[in-house]
Amino acid sequence: VKKGYNAAKRGLLIWKGDKNNICCGYFTNDDQLISLNAKNGKPIKTFGNNGIIKIGSSSTTPTIVDDQLIVATFRPSIESYNIESGELHWKFYLREIDKEVFREKDFRGGNPWGGISSDKKNGIVFLSTGNPRPVFVGSTRPGKNLYANSVIAFDARKKKKLWHFQEICHDIWNFDIPSPPILTTINIDRKRIDVVVSVTKLGNTIILDRYSGEPIFDYEMKRAPVSKIPGEKTCEYQPSLKLPEPFARNEFKLEDVTNLSESGREYIMSAVNNSNFGFFATHEPGKDTIQYGNSGGAQWTGASVDPYKNILFVTSNNIPFRIRVGSFNNKSRFQFLGKKEEPLRDLDDFPGAKPPWGTLTSINLNSGKIVWQVPLGYYKSLKSKGIITGTENFGGATATTGGLVFVAGTLDKLIRAFDSESGKELWSHELPYIGSAPPTLYAINGEQYIVIPASGGITLKMYYNDLVEQGDAIVAFKLKD
């Protein structure tokens, strides 16, 4: 494994071969796709060059269709390799230039860093993509920036794209779709419909027909503001969903300003009154834009679905950020000279919006309605006053058939179990460091266990340095009957 890179950043894939009865582990390590013997950790020498093939930089976990090992890369592309030999089958590049309508130029970004999934029966691979770059200013990348901020379906057998669905057009807000698509089946008007589900940083739950890409619920579009930056042409309409009900705030409003203290409220109001905010507020040189979504809504940890009851469980954040972009260098052209991107916080260093700042939400996928939502996590100083606010979190939820939802990732370092029907907290345990991934459940000899990595997390350390200690623990629990 190359030093200095993130091996198996989104996890690894285990596959048992039919021919030689070898159990293989596959994972990415920046620009390497690696195959190891899962029993002894040694490279599979017949795979690529002594267990390694060179690919475009990637952070996603591969998936399997037939004899194809499929991985998404930052080229950006989706690539297929023979699962045993590592021989390249094909590559498909994830950009499309709509020159006729938008006179669109090429752009950077739109990377499928959130993850991929596959319908093995039908040979379809699904992936979500990130935002285009440069971030916040898109004057050098006019047009829709197609395939960025999208859910894409690809037929791995016929080697062709089936459909794509773009949530945000010409993204200048950093609203990428950050997590792997989820495949499940829901009930609508007494019909069973195979769907793909993606949770987003805007707090949307996108539910699409798995084979056509059409939204299951009416997908509402609302006229959006015009850019204030010379040369920037934003899209005329952006999404405003009613169903499924958003699980996080996606538009900063005056009524969101914190009410924890009068001095804190006045401090935040002074910042808000001198800033742009609201529905897809555009950026303006020399003036802040206040928005949600930089840390989610949802994040890379995604959501967990109970496929028997068609209930989705998702962790999310309501953290306002203040954004400021470059400056003019003449009257007709904008030069991107940098950006400021930081959380909006009050005088006590708490988020500048009303709680909850972090939540766990249960959504009925059949109806699109929220079943329950609870604050997730607490600050000790506020809890002592009886105030439970939730905290920013990057842990993710895992639901069980036994009616429990396990979740960690909060600033208080707790792993928790909730009743899946009511949202009531049933159990908690303090980890040595903040949980940094969704819990994993497994069984050995009839006994059930739950295991979670606890590292403190990079993002939380960056924004809450005094509250976050980093480490490298893996903690396991045995579930009692």
Side-chain angles (χ1 to χ4, degrees):
V1 174
K2 293 169 66 176
K3 293 182 179 180
Y5 292 95
N6 294 304
K9 188 173 182 179
R10 297 286 181 259
L12 52 82
L13 172 71
I14 301 295
W15 174 78
K16 189 174 183 180
D18 297 326
K19 295 181 181 179
N20 48 24
N21 201 34
I22 294 178
C23 194
C24 301
Y26 298 96
F27 60 93
T28 58
N29 178 48
D30 190 58
D31 62 350
Q32 297 176 334
L33 179 58
I34 298 175
S35 176
L36 301 180
N37 186 313
K39 293 184 178 180
N40 59 27
K42 295 182 178 180
I44 303 294
K45 295 184 178 181
T46 56
F47 182 84
N49 183 10
N50 196 30
I52 298 175
I53 58 175
K54 296 285 286 185
I55 59 173
S57 182
S58 176
S59 63
T60 62
T61 305
T63 190
I64 296 172
V65 172
D66 303 329
D67 66 342
Q68 301 182 64
L69 184 64
I70 298 174
V71 65
T73 79
F74 288 1
R75 298 184 195 275
S77 67
I78 178 171
E79 304 181 2
S80 169
Y81 298 88
N82 183 278
I83 195 167
E84 293 184 335
S85 69
E87 180 183 358
L88 175 67
H89 285 161
W90 48 261
K91 295 180 183 180
F92 181 84
Y93 291 93
L94 300 172
R95 286 207 182 112
E96 182 173 300
I97 309 303
D98 192 354
K99 294 179 180 177
E100 245 179 68
V101 179
F102 287 99
R103 298 191 296 278
E104 184 166 10
K105 297 181 181 179
D106 199 5
F107 62 92
R108 294 181 288 114
N111 299 326
W113 67 271
I116 60 177
S117 53
S118 60
D119 178 339
K120 297 182 180 180
K121 178 181 177 181
N122 294 293
I124 305 173
V125 176
F126 301 87
L127 59 156
S128 55
T129 60
N131 52 286
R133 294 181 180 275
V135 182
F136 303 127
V137 175
S139 54
T140 60
R141 49 174 175 85
K144 288 185 175 181
N145 303 149
L146 294 175
Y147 296 170
N149 305 83
S150 296
V151 180
I152 303 172
F154 192 91
D155 189 320
R157 292 168 182 157
K158 297 181 179 179
K159 306 173 188 176
K160 68 175 186 178
K161 180 178 76 74
L162 298 178
W163 53 259
H164 79 277
F165 178 90
Q166 188 175 41
E167 182 191 25
I168 307 297
C169 171
H170 189 83
D171 180 11
I172 57 170
W173 302 274
N174 193 25
F175 289 162
D176 45 285
I177 299 180
S179 60
I182 299 170
L183 306 183
T184 190
T185 303
I186 63 175
N187 301 312
I188 302 288
D189 297 328
R190 298 183 180 180
K191 293 181 180 179
R192 298 279 286 166
I193 304 175
D194 292 335
V195 296
V196 54
V197 181
S198 281
V199 290
T200 77
K201 288 172 75 174
L202 270 178
N204 290 330
T205 305
I206 300 173
I207 308 179
L208 308 172
D209 183 284
R210 196 182 302 181
Y211 310 114
S212 69
E214 291 297 315
I216 297 300
F217 297 96
D218 289 341
Y219 200 85
E220 300 184 44
M221 302 295 286
K222 180 179 174 182
R223 187 178 288 274
V226 175
S227 176
K228 299 180 178 67
I229 293 177
E232 176 84 87
K233 185 177 180 181
T234 46
C235 287
E236 192 173 4
Y237 294 91
Q238 296 290 3
S240 177
L241 271 65
K242 301 298 185 293
L243 288 177
E245 295 177 322
F247 53 81
R249 299 177 198 147
N250 51 36
E251 176 184 348
F252 190 86
K253 302 176 181 179
L254 281 177
E255 60 252 38
D256 293 349
V257 173
T258 181
N259 58 0
L260 285 183
S261 69
E262 188 59 35
S263 60
R265 178 176 175 78
E266 290 177 358
Y267 176 78
I268 295 299
M269 280 299 298
S270 66
V272 171
N273 287 332
N274 292 298
S275 303
N276 296 310
F277 59 92
F279 181 77
F280 284 90
T282 55
H283 308 305
E284 182 177 356
K287 192 172 184 179
D288 288 347
T289 300
I290 297 176
Q291 64 178 52
Y292 294 113
N294 291 60
S295 295
Q299 256 296 341
W300 71 269
T301 50
S304 180
V305 169
D306 179 339
Y308 303 103
K309 297 179 180 178
N310 298 330
I311 302 295
L312 176 142
F313 304 93
V314 59
T315 57
S316 61
N317 298 311
N318 291 311
I319 306 296
F321 272 68
R322 58 201 305 178
I323 312 296
R324 182 172 292 194
V325 299
S327 61
F328 291 104
N329 67 344
N330 61 48
K331 293 182 179 180
S332 61
R333 181 176 175 82
F334 180 81
Q335 184 180 21
F336 183 53
L337 299 177
K339 60 182 173 60
K340 178 182 74 174
E341 178 186 7
E342 62 185 17
L344 177 65
R345 290 182 174 159
D346 68 13
L347 294 170
D348 296 313
D349 215 26
F350 294 124
K354 291 177 182 174
W357 300 320
T359 61
L360 173 64
T361 306
S362 167
I363 301 174
N364 186 314
L365 295 179
N366 296 332
S367 66
K369 296 285 188 178
I370 290 177
V371 180
W372 51 258
Q373 183 176 85
V374 296
L376 183 61
Y378 63 78
Y379 287 85
K380 291 181 180 180
S381 60
L382 294 177
K383 185 184 179 184
S384 64
K385 302 175 183 178
I387 303 173
I388 304 297
T389 60
T391 76
E392 190 166 358
N393 60 91
F394 290 86
T398 302
T400 75
T401 55
L404 298 175
V405 182
F406 289 94
V407 60
T410 48
L411 290 173
D412 53 30
K413 299 198 294 188
L414 297 184
I415 180 173
R416 294 173 165 87
F418 294 86
D419 183 289
S420 62
E421 291 191 0
S422 67
K424 180 181 178 181
E425 185 177 321
L426 302 176
W427 168 84
S428 67
H429 181 87
E430 185 171 321
L431 299 169
Y433 310 100
I434 295 170
S436 46
T440 298
L441 280 80
Y442 62 97
I444 299 178
N445 298 325
E447 300 283 358
Q448 293 187 38
Y449 301 85
I450 183 169
V451 63
I452 184 168
S455 68
I458 296 174
T459 305
L460 288 176
K461 181 65 175 177
M462 181 168 60
Y463 291 131
Y464 304 89
N465 182 56
D466 295 340
L467 298 178
V468 179
E469 183 183 3
Q470 291 182 312
D472 58 358
I474 295 178
V475 184
F477 302 88
K478 181 178 178 181
L479 301 186
K480 296 181 179 180
D481 294 332

